[in-house]
Amino acid sequence: MTDSIVNTLGAGSGINISALVNDLVAANFQARNSTLNRQNQALSAQISSAGTLRSDINSFVEGLKTLATGGTVSAQATSSNTNIVRATAISGARLSGVSTQLEVRQLAQAQATASAPVADRTAAIGTGTLTLQLGTATTADGAITGFTAGTSAAVDVTIDSSNSSLEGIAAAINAADAGVTATIISDSAGARLALKGATGEAQAFTLTATEDAGAEGLAALNVGVGSTLGTAAQDAIVAVDGTALKRSTNSVSDLVDGVKLDLVAASVGTTVSLTSSTPTDTLRQVVNDYVAAFNNLQANLRAQTNAVDGPLRGDAAARSFGAALGRLNLTQLSTTTVTGAPRTLSDIGVSTNRDGTISVRTERLDAALRDFPEAVEALFANGTGASGGGLAAAFQAIADPAVSASTGLGATIDRYTDQQETIAEALDRVASETEVLRARLTRQFSSSDAQVAAYRQTQALLTQVFQPRTGDN
């Protein structure tokens, strides 16, 4: 009987209450925590995948836009003599069959004058008012023989004691922003006030001084009839297919449609041929580069929407974009009416493979570039609309709904983020419930431990009472 009591009481001691409580609490919430954490990880993967795909689509759009607007795939203007005139295609222009003969008979130039030298550029010259007037001038033997004021109002420049030196006068003229630039040029004879207008015969100018009494001297800077010129104001004269035309500058964008001309030198009697040519080698490379970029985008999309383990396998926006991407190869990209000319990527040899990737049939692309180079160029033009406006516009039309914040991947990211916030709140609640249960079990087991301790004291007492004594009969 004594052995039975002792063994029973001894079983209630030495328990690690803290470890026991932790194990019980963990077991109680393990399933819920595992489920919530698994859902949270899945949502993180979906958010990351949707963000990556959206970024890839936007980058593809920007790349096609840059291609369409950069001019590398557009027909280029070519001058037969760049020492006389240089030609470039205006951004966005579509050159077709340009064939023009140019003759640069005269370059545009600006009126330029210089005053008599003064010994000290910082010394006062005089005070009063300098009046600048733009207009047209007649010249002979390097001097102004007549002047007709233009329609713009004259500009008065006040010269007082604070700016009456040659340096001060130059600064005041420049501050007036009257179409004439002032600088100071110097040599061994002294400093001169140099004035220069804009190019064009209507940009000639006069400078007339009204002097203050007792502070005369500004009249020495006058420019007018009788003044000697460094150069006279004149227009450029260019004969376009034999017709002489004038322009006020040497950079001209309105003589030949879509072409900017930079006049380099006048050469009367020399004809320069202006033509256009489609960059077929560049277009060939662009088609191959597009195929490679498309396949990279398609591979990423396929991985994200894989039916087995793709993070976006159930996302409607991603699936819809994939379907639209598959149809892009057959989308009409130009409105050409030339018989046999390509209007789709498929027409120039871009074919769709079974796995959704695309490839180039080289012989068909070469034939299209040979027979219809301008039509191939038009496929990459900078237009608008889902059909007929070029590849960039067609891709933009399927990209916009795909990345939309209301219905596309933007909305997908927002939806998954909201779900993740809900899970975070649920995890917070589980954490709170965990601590409540931990506290309750700790109290319960502490009470039990106290009872066990009391039992052990009783055990010790009973052991002493019933312990056989040596020498008892």
Side-chain angles (χ1 to χ4, degrees):
M1 179 177 180
T2 302
D3 292 338
S4 176
I5 295 173
V6 170
N7 291 337
T8 301
L9 292 176
S13 177
I15 298 174
N16 187 334
I17 294 176
S18 177
L20 177 61
V21 168
N22 286 337
D23 290 344
L24 290 173
V25 169
N28 187 73
F29 291 102
Q30 182 177 4
R32 289 175 63 186
N33 275 320
S34 295
T35 299
L36 291 172
N37 285 322
R38 186 169 57 252
Q39 292 173 346
N40 192 47
Q41 291 172 359
L43 287 169
S44 293
Q46 290 171 317
I47 292 171
S48 176
S49 296
T52 298
L53 182 57
R54 180 174 63 175
S55 178
D56 288 347
I57 294 172
N58 286 332
S59 295
F60 207 93
V61 168
E62 291 305 314
L64 290 177
K65 283 183 179 178
T66 300
L67 183 67
T69 59
T72 57
V73 295
S74 301
Q76 302 299 309
T78 304
S79 167
S80 64
N81 191 336
T82 55
N83 291 322
I84 295 176
V85 58
R86 298 191 183 100
T88 53
I90 296 173
S91 178
R94 296 178 62 180
L95 306 184
S96 177
V98 175
S99 180
T100 303
Q101 302 301 307
L102 304 174
E103 179 189 355
V104 181
R105 298 178 179 175
Q106 176 176 290
L107 291 181
Q109 64 183 26
Q111 176 179 311
T113 65
S115 68
V118 298
D120 186 355
R121 61 194 288 165
T122 64
I125 293 176
T127 62
T129 302
L130 292 174
T131 302
L132 279 165
Q133 176 66 62
L134 300 181
T136 56
T138 56
T139 63
D141 300 325
I144 299 176
T145 58
F147 183 82
T148 302
T151 57
S152 60
V155 176
D156 290 333
V157 181
T158 300
I159 306 299
D160 54 29
S161 60
S162 68
N163 61 357
S164 61
S165 67
L166 207 60
E167 289 183 347
I169 292 170
I173 290 173
N174 289 331
D177 195 22
V180 176
T181 301
T183 56
I184 297 175
I185 55 177
S186 302
D187 62 8
S188 59
R192 294 174 170 83
L193 179 68
L195 301 177
K196 189 172 186 178
T199 59
E201 65 180 26
Q203 299 300 310
F205 61 87
T206 59
L207 180 69
T208 306
T210 302
E211 300 177 316
D212 292 337
E216 293 83 359
L218 291 180
L221 305 177
N222 278 355
V223 177
V225 174
S227 296
T228 299
L229 301 176
T231 57
Q234 65 182 32
D235 284 340
I237 300 176
V238 183
V240 180
D241 290 331
T243 301
L245 302 170
K246 287 186 174 183
R247 292 295 184 271
S248 62
T249 69
N250 293 315
S251 182
V252 185
S253 300
D254 61 351
L255 282 178
V256 179
D257 286 345
V259 179
K260 177 188 175 185
L261 301 175
D262 290 307
L263 310 180
V264 179
S267 183
V268 178
T270 301
T271 300
V272 178
S273 296
L274 181 66
T275 56
S276 63
S277 59
T278 301
T280 54
D281 288 343
T282 300
L283 283 168
R284 182 180 292 104
Q285 185 61 50
V286 163
V287 171
N288 283 284
D289 289 346
Y290 166 77
V291 168
F294 179 98
N295 287 339
N296 284 337
L297 178 62
Q298 181 69 274
N300 181 35
L301 176 64
R302 196 163 55 246
Q304 304 303 337
T305 56
N306 183 284
V308 177
D309 59 359
L312 301 179
R313 58 186 177 275
D315 187 77
R319 292 200 311 271
S320 179
F321 173 71
L325 198 62
R327 296 189 295 268
L328 186 60
N329 214 31
L330 298 176
T331 299
Q332 181 178 324
L333 302 179
S334 78
T335 57
T336 180
T337 57
V338 177
T339 302
R343 296 191 297 172
T344 68
L345 290 175
S346 178
D347 291 340
I348 62 172
V350 180
S351 57
T352 303
N353 304 317
R354 286 187 175 182
D355 61 357
T357 60
I358 58 177
S359 55
V360 181
R361 294 171 56 189
T362 304
E363 70 284 355
R364 190 166 182 179
L365 175 60
D366 289 344
L369 289 170
R370 182 189 65 243
D371 300 335
F372 304 102
E374 293 179 358
V376 176
E377 175 192 338
L379 300 180
F380 298 92
N382 183 32
T384 57
S387 176
L391 179 59
F395 191 86
Q396 182 80 66
I398 66 173
D400 285 344
V403 301
S404 167
S406 57
T407 59
L409 291 169
T412 293
I413 293 172
D414 290 342
R415 183 173 66 255
Y416 292 154
T417 300
D418 289 343
Q419 292 176 17
Q420 204 168 41
E421 290 175 356
T422 300
I423 289 175
E425 292 172 357
L427 286 169
D428 287 342
R429 288 195 298 272
V430 170
S432 296
E433 293 174 15
T434 297
E435 294 309 312
V436 170
L437 179 59
R438 190 190 312 279
R440 179 167 62 82
L441 291 178
T442 298
R443 287 194 302 271
Q444 289 177 351
F445 282 104
S446 294
S447 176
S448 297
D449 189 57
Q451 292 177 358
V452 169
Y455 293 156
R456 293 199 63 178
Q457 290 178 354
T458 301
Q459 175 190 18
L461 177 62
L462 292 174
T463 298
Q464 292 176 359
V465 171
F466 291 100
Q467 180 70 37
R469 290 178 175 79
T470 303
D472 286 350
N473 293 323

